[in-house]
Amino acid sequence: MRFGRLLFQSHVLVFLFVVVEHAHGDVSYRVQEELKRGSVVGNIAKDLGLEVNRLSARKARVDVEGSEKRYCGINLENGNLVIEERIDREEHCGQKPSCVLKFDLLLENPLELHRLSLQVEDINDNVPYFQKGIIKIEIRESAVKGAKYRINAAHDEDIGKNSVQNYILQQNPHFVFNIQTTSAGSKYGELVLEKELDREAQQEMKLLLTAVDGGSPQRSGTVTIHVIVLDANDNAPVFSETVYTARLPENSPVKTTVITVSATDADEGFNGEVTYEFSRISDKSQKMFSLNEKTGEVIVTGDIDYEEGSKYEVFVEAKDGYGLSTEAKVIIDITDVNDNAPVIYVKSLNSPVSESTSPGTEVGIINVQDRDSENNRQVRCSIQQNVPFKLVPSIKNYYSLVTTGQLDRELVSDYNITISATDEGSPPLSSSKTVHLSVADVNDNPPAFEEQSYSAYVSENNKPGSTLCSVAARDPDWRQNGTVIYSLLPAEVNGAPVSSYVSVNGDTGVIHAVRSFDYEQFRSFKVHVMARDNGSPPLSSNVTVSVFVSDVNDNSPQILYPAPEGNSFMTELVPKAAHGGSLVSKVIAVDADSGQNAWLSYHIVKSTDPGLFTIGVHSGEIRTQRDVLESDSMKQNLIVSVKDNGQPSLSATCSMYLLISDNLAEVPELKDISYDEKNSKLTSYLIIALVSVSTFFLTFIIIILGVRFCRRRKPRLLFDGAVAIPSAYLPPNYADVDGTGTLRSTYNYDAYLTTGSRTSDFKFVSSYNDNTLPADQTLRKSPSDFADAFGDSDGSPEVGTCHVTTVRSVEPVIYSLSCRSSFY
């Protein structure tokens, strides 16, 4: 048979006949078996009215029901249904008169299923063959003319006219060959004796019998009939039944008895001994069944599978000792057993699926098949897990895998969906398949900062490029959708772009200082940082970063009064009658820093007489520790140190010159006061200028008062005085710190002037408090002294009192001088 197939493939031309039928959307084609690969069956797109240009997009494909082989396929370019694998009708249908293969044409988007029927027509590709190469027949020489001897028919895998149609017996003088038909419709041959045999003339003979089919070209097979002439054998074996029927469950174990055939022979002795053998059996059946030649038992010798074959037919020959035989047919029906679990096929899967996919979207197509029959092949399919997917029955044994809820890749990025299929057999069989589905990211999450706001603390005088702080934003999206880039939002700080103060690393979010900060210029500012992802479109969020500049003790105290040496010549006059605790003067200092860095303390580091004067540690007020004595030196020099409370502490020093005297006339020479040699000349010039201006001012005041006095006829005596704190000594700016040892918001001083104060700027300053030198202890002159100086006067002498008012603010310190007069 195999040789015949090869011969056919080499020499026979194949003709294709196609018949298209439409019934309920199904299409049926008729083709011949053994077509070459690529042969066109028909144009399925045209027959079903499908758009050819959409076949590829809809993933059109052809599946064979119950088989993993792909016998047919569809050409996506033109819609032709083509042969992809060799189709052997005998393999699929055996001796069945009709052979139909079922196909499914599957399309997606939307899901569409069409049933295709392929009717396979037989061609003469198999040669007739006899079960045995030699048929041995023993005939008694006493056999009469017309005696018939059964010859088993030749077997041909083809059907119809391509099967065995005729037998040709080699010419001989004794026998002819007749064809007979059984009641079951099968044919067999009879060797008919036409001339008596003579054993003495010829003991044996060999005749060639040829079986010829009706195909085109015609095929044939031969067998040799070996006739042995014996003594008489009158009766042939007779079977108890012409056709035997047996039912055999599939998966029956080896050596299971299927059926026992029985034949009897009326002869006695050797002539009545019956043996059994298969007269006609296919190659497939021969692998699964054997026959006991003595008992007639048909026994299982191979694997019985209902899915491979549900019915088998074999022919058994019963032969007696001298060659007379009879044939019976055995039909074996295989019953189905639920031995096949459902098989799950993933026909289509859209993975990854976008997380923006709306519920109810089809993401896959599942096909479930069970090779069993009837209830054993009824399958239920489901998903047992708690996942946002479900199976929706579609067409026949197809299911659509659809979404049931909104997907979120940030919560679950991958799903392992386990699909279970269970048949309705007894006991039921089940199987499962895990489908891996990935969720594709969509840029649906803006970057989120880890904190609602950030604070950065930096000391002033920082180095440019130093790190202030780091912001961090997280984006749960994937790849470029989750890549965060940081940038500064445009803004201004003190009128300058914020980018001139700080910068941010676009990749890490680290904020650096671009310049060095000065606490005295600004103490804090805010920066707005934007975090943006790389999605399309990009999403962003903002956060506020507050930068606080902390103070560093980088400013030394500045002494406002007394003025630094070399700038002016300032001397305080101390009355000889000053008591202990009297306010002599005050050191005024400021510090541009803040907090404890601006807390000032005052200390006398050197003095002419250490026991005479003391200074308030926090107020800077210089007071006498005891009463002034006649033995005390007239010239007193104090060196005062002003320190702040910073770490490390900064300080400044000044010199305070005090003159113990009631009258400037008692002072020997101003130039004898110990000054530094380098500043003495400049100080002299300043003293001369100050005295000149004071004299001019006092003269002008005296004239004005004299005019008014003359009008009112009230004699008054005006004492002049001056408190000079030049504005040049004020720092350009400094911070306002209350209670740090500098002047309070308002501080009043009384200046008690002696009669010699007209020609100098020496003064004695006293605050309004109990420790101030009393008015009755102020240096006075008799009325005659005033009369000598200013002329006769009706009124009491007037003593001038001046008030120095200090106004503190963020602007330079402003001193105001106010004078008030009191008459005795």
Side-chain angles (χ1 to χ4, degrees):
M1 183 177 67
R2 294 178 182 175
F3 173 79
R5 290 179 179 177
L6 294 175
L7 186 63
F8 165 78
Q9 293 176 357
S10 302
H11 298 90
V12 177
L13 296 177
V14 178
F15 297 90
L16 173 64
F17 302 95
V18 180
V19 177
V20 182
E21 300 176 0
H22 296 273
H24 306 290
D26 294 348
V27 180
S28 177
Y29 294 94
R30 188 184 301 273
V31 297
Q32 293 180 346
E33 64 172 330
E34 305 290 350
L35 288 179
K36 295 181 180 180
R37 292 188 59 182
S39 299
V40 178
V41 177
N43 192 294
I44 191 69
K46 180 180 179 181
D47 297 335
L48 292 175
L50 303 176
E51 298 180 18
V52 176
N53 55 358
R54 292 203 60 206
L55 292 178
S56 179
R58 298 187 65 183
K59 301 179 182 178
R61 58 188 177 274
V62 175
D63 293 332
V64 181
E65 182 179 351
S67 176
E68 296 182 359
K69 293 185 178 181
R70 297 178 58 86
Y71 294 103
C72 291
I74 183 170
N75 189 323
L76 300 179
E77 296 180 357
N78 51 33
N80 286 336
L81 184 67
V82 297
I83 300 297
E84 291 194 352
E85 290 190 27
R86 169 181 168 269
I87 300 178
D88 186 2
R89 191 202 66 80
E90 289 75 31
E91 177 183 350
H92 292 284
C93 303
Q95 295 296 312
K96 293 180 180 179
S98 177
C99 183
V100 180
L101 299 182
K102 300 292 186 178
F103 297 88
D104 291 332
L105 175 62
L106 185 67
L107 301 100
E108 300 181 18
N109 301 319
L111 179 62
E112 188 175 347
L113 181 67
H114 294 275
R115 295 300 303 276
L116 307 180
S117 298
L118 198 63
Q119 298 184 18
V120 183
E121 294 185 344
D122 184 48
I123 64 173
N124 192 24
D125 59 338
N126 294 283
V127 296
Y129 68 95
F130 292 91
Q131 191 68 33
K132 296 180 179 180
I134 298 177
I135 299 176
K136 185 179 180 181
I137 299 178
E138 296 177 345
I139 303 176
R140 292 279 182 179
E141 62 179 340
S142 59
V144 296
K145 182 180 179 180
K148 299 178 180 179
Y149 301 92
R150 184 186 181 96
I151 302 297
N152 291 331
H155 183 66
D156 195 325
E157 297 287 346
D158 297 322
I159 61 173
K161 67 178 183 178
N162 294 326
S163 63
V164 176
Q165 299 296 319
N166 193 18
Y167 292 90
I168 301 174
L169 182 64
Q170 179 184 355
Q171 289 291 335
N172 67 92
H174 297 281
F175 297 96
V176 293
F177 194 84
N178 292 333
I179 299 175
Q180 301 294 331
T181 303
T182 65
S183 59
S186 62
K187 294 182 179 182
Y188 66 95
E190 289 182 337
L191 192 64
V192 181
L193 183 64
E194 284 193 340
K195 182 181 181 180
E196 290 82 357
L197 298 175
D198 186 358
R199 184 175 183 275
E200 288 70 27
Q202 189 177 5
Q203 295 183 356
E204 61 180 3
M205 64 184 69
K206 292 183 179 181
L207 305 175
L208 184 64
L209 179 63
T210 302
V212 182
D213 62 24
S216 177
Q218 196 176 56
R219 293 175 176 272
S220 62
T222 60
V223 67
T224 300
I225 301 176
H226 187 191
V227 179
I228 301 174
V229 182
L230 299 175
D231 290 333
N233 183 19
D234 299 325
N235 298 288
V238 178
F239 279 99
S240 59
E241 297 180 22
T242 305
V243 178
Y244 290 88
T245 303
R247 298 179 64 86
L248 178 68
E250 65 173 327
N251 302 328
S252 296
V254 177
K255 295 184 180 181
T256 299
T257 299
V258 180
I259 193 172
T260 301
V261 296
S262 177
T264 58
D265 193 312
D267 295 326
E268 294 181 356
F270 180 76
N271 293 331
E273 294 180 0
V274 179
T275 59
Y276 304 93
E277 63 181 23
F278 287 124
S279 59
R280 283 182 289 170
I281 185 171
S282 64
D283 294 338
K284 186 177 182 181
S285 300
Q286 197 168 11
K287 295 177 181 178
M288 293 185 289
F289 304 104
S290 65
L291 178 63
N292 189 315
E293 64 177 6
K294 297 293 184 182
T295 63
E297 288 181 328
V298 179
I299 302 172
V300 175
T301 57
D303 296 331
I304 307 299
D305 190 353
Y306 175 86
E307 289 68 41
E308 294 294 333
S310 60
K311 185 175 183 180
Y312 297 92
E313 292 182 0
V314 297
F315 292 87
V316 179
E317 180 184 30
K319 183 185 296 186
D320 62 17
Y322 287 101
L324 296 180
S325 63
T326 304
E327 185 180 68
K329 184 178 182 180
V330 179
I331 300 175
I332 304 173
D333 291 319
I334 308 299
T335 58
D336 184 41
V337 174
N338 190 28
D339 60 340
N340 291 283
V343 181
I344 301 172
Y345 298 96
V346 179
K347 295 297 183 179
S348 176
L349 185 65
N350 298 328
S351 180
V353 58
S354 175
E355 63 177 326
S356 61
T357 301
S358 58
T361 302
E362 181 182 86
V363 297
I365 298 175
I366 307 300
N367 177 243
V368 182
Q369 296 183 8
D370 194 316
R371 297 181 62 192
D372 295 320
S373 62
E374 298 180 355
N375 290 338
N376 294 335
R377 68 178 303 171
Q378 300 300 319
V379 179
R380 298 186 306 272
C381 197
S382 62
I383 298 176
Q384 303 297 330
Q385 300 161 287
N386 185 19
V387 293
F389 299 94
K390 68 177 181 179
L391 289 175
V392 177
S394 183
I395 305 171
K396 195 184 174 184
N397 53 351
Y398 284 88
Y399 295 83
S400 294
L401 181 64
V402 299
T403 59
T404 59
Q406 191 66 47
L407 304 180
D408 190 346
R409 192 205 66 85
E410 288 69 45
L411 295 179
V412 181
S413 61
D414 294 275
Y415 290 94
N416 289 320
I417 306 171
T418 301
I419 301 174
S420 300
T422 305
D423 61 27
E424 294 184 1
S426 180
L429 299 179
S430 62
S431 62
S432 62
K433 189 178 186 67
T434 300
V435 178
H436 180 78
L437 190 65
S438 299
V439 181
D441 185 48
V442 173
N443 190 27
D444 57 346
N445 292 281
F449 285 94
E450 294 180 350
E451 300 181 16
Q452 295 183 351
S453 63
Y454 291 84
S455 298
Y457 299 90
V458 58
S459 300
E460 63 174 330
N461 304 326
N462 59 292
K463 293 183 180 180
S466 59
T467 300
L468 300 182
C469 69
S470 177
V471 298
R474 298 289 180 265
D475 194 321
D477 292 323
W478 195 44
R479 290 187 176 176
Q480 72 272 12
N481 293 335
T483 302
V484 180
I485 300 175
Y486 303 92
S487 61
L488 295 177
L489 292 178
E492 291 187 355
V493 177
N494 288 350
V498 69
S499 58
S500 63
Y501 287 88
V502 296
S503 66
V504 62
N505 188 304
D507 297 326
T508 63
V510 177
I511 300 177
H512 301 277
V514 175
R515 63 167 66 175
S516 179
F517 301 142
D518 189 355
Y519 177 84
E520 286 69 43
Q521 291 184 356
F522 53 85
R523 301 183 181 184
S524 66
F525 60 92
K526 291 185 178 181
V527 179
H528 299 284
V529 179
M530 178 180 69
R532 176 180 57 85
D533 58 29
N534 268 339
S536 179
L539 302 178
S540 63
S541 60
N542 304 332
V543 72
T544 300
V545 179
S546 300
V547 181
F548 298 94
V549 182
S550 59
D551 185 43
V552 174
N553 191 29
D554 57 343
N555 293 283
S556 300
Q558 296 187 31
I559 300 176
L560 303 179
Y561 185 85
E565 293 185 27
N567 294 335
S568 65
F569 180 78
M570 307 294 289
T571 303
E572 299 287 355
L573 188 63
V574 180
K576 292 182 179 180
H579 295 290
S582 299
L583 178 63
V584 175
S585 184
K586 178 179 175 65
V587 176
I588 302 174
V590 294
D591 196 313
D593 294 321
S594 65
Q596 65 178 7
N597 294 330
W599 296 350
L600 303 181
S601 61
Y602 302 84
H603 308 276
I604 298 176
V605 296
K606 185 178 181 182
S607 65
T608 304
D609 188 349
L612 182 55
F613 298 101
T614 185
I615 189 170
V617 176
H618 300 294
S619 65
E621 296 179 347
I622 299 176
R623 297 179 181 273
T624 56
Q625 294 190 78
R626 56 179 175 80
D627 296 342
V628 177
L629 303 177
E630 293 292 338
S631 59
D632 292 330
S633 173
M634 179 181 295
K635 304 174 184 177
Q636 296 290 332
N637 185 15
L638 304 179
I639 298 178
V640 179
S641 173
V642 183
K643 297 182 178 180
D644 58 27
N645 198 37
Q647 294 295 331
S649 176
L650 301 178
S651 63
T653 59
C654 66
S655 296
M656 178 68 73
Y657 301 102
L658 303 176
L659 192 62
I660 301 176
S661 175
D662 293 333
N663 195 329
L664 291 177
E666 300 176 358
V667 181
E669 293 182 3
L670 293 175
K671 66 180 180 179
D672 292 339
I673 301 177
S674 60
Y675 297 98
D676 293 338
E677 185 66 24
K678 62 183 179 179
N679 296 327
S680 60
K681 186 175 182 179
L682 178 60
T683 303
S684 299
Y685 292 152
L686 292 175
I687 292 175
I688 294 173
L690 183 59
V691 170
S692 300
V693 173
S694 299
T695 302
F696 175 77
F697 177 72
L698 291 176
T699 304
F700 178 76
I701 294 300
I702 291 172
I703 293 173
I704 296 300
L705 293 177
V707 172
R708 295 183 63 185
F709 176 77
C710 292
R711 291 178 181 177
R712 297 181 181 180
R713 296 182 180 275
K714 295 180 180 181
R716 294 181 181 179
L717 180 62
L718 178 63
F719 286 83
D720 56 355
V723 177
I725 303 178
S727 62
Y729 302 144
L730 302 177
N733 53 46
Y734 62 90
D736 181 17
V737 181
D738 291 335
T740 59
T742 59
L743 286 177
R744 289 175 171 79
S745 298
T746 303
Y747 206 106
N748 295 326
Y749 292 90
D750 288 343
Y752 297 90
L753 305 181
T754 61
T755 56
S757 61
R758 291 187 185 92
T759 59
S760 73
D761 62 350
F762 290 86
K763 60 187 179 297
F764 174 76
V765 182
S766 175
S767 63
Y768 291 133
N769 54 39
D770 296 339
N771 295 326
T772 304
L773 190 65
D776 56 357
Q777 297 181 8
T778 306
L779 299 179
R780 299 178 182 178
K781 288 191 176 183
S782 61
S784 59
D785 295 332
F786 292 107
D788 293 339
F790 302 98
D792 294 336
S793 177
D794 297 337
S796 302
E798 184 182 45
V799 178
T801 303
C802 295
H803 303 279
V804 180
T805 302
T806 305
V807 181
R808 300 287 308 286
S809 68
V810 293
E811 299 297 331
V813 179
I814 301 174
Y815 294 88
S816 62
L817 176 63
S818 63
C819 297
R820 58 185 175 83
S821 300
S822 59
F823 296 91
Y824 295 88

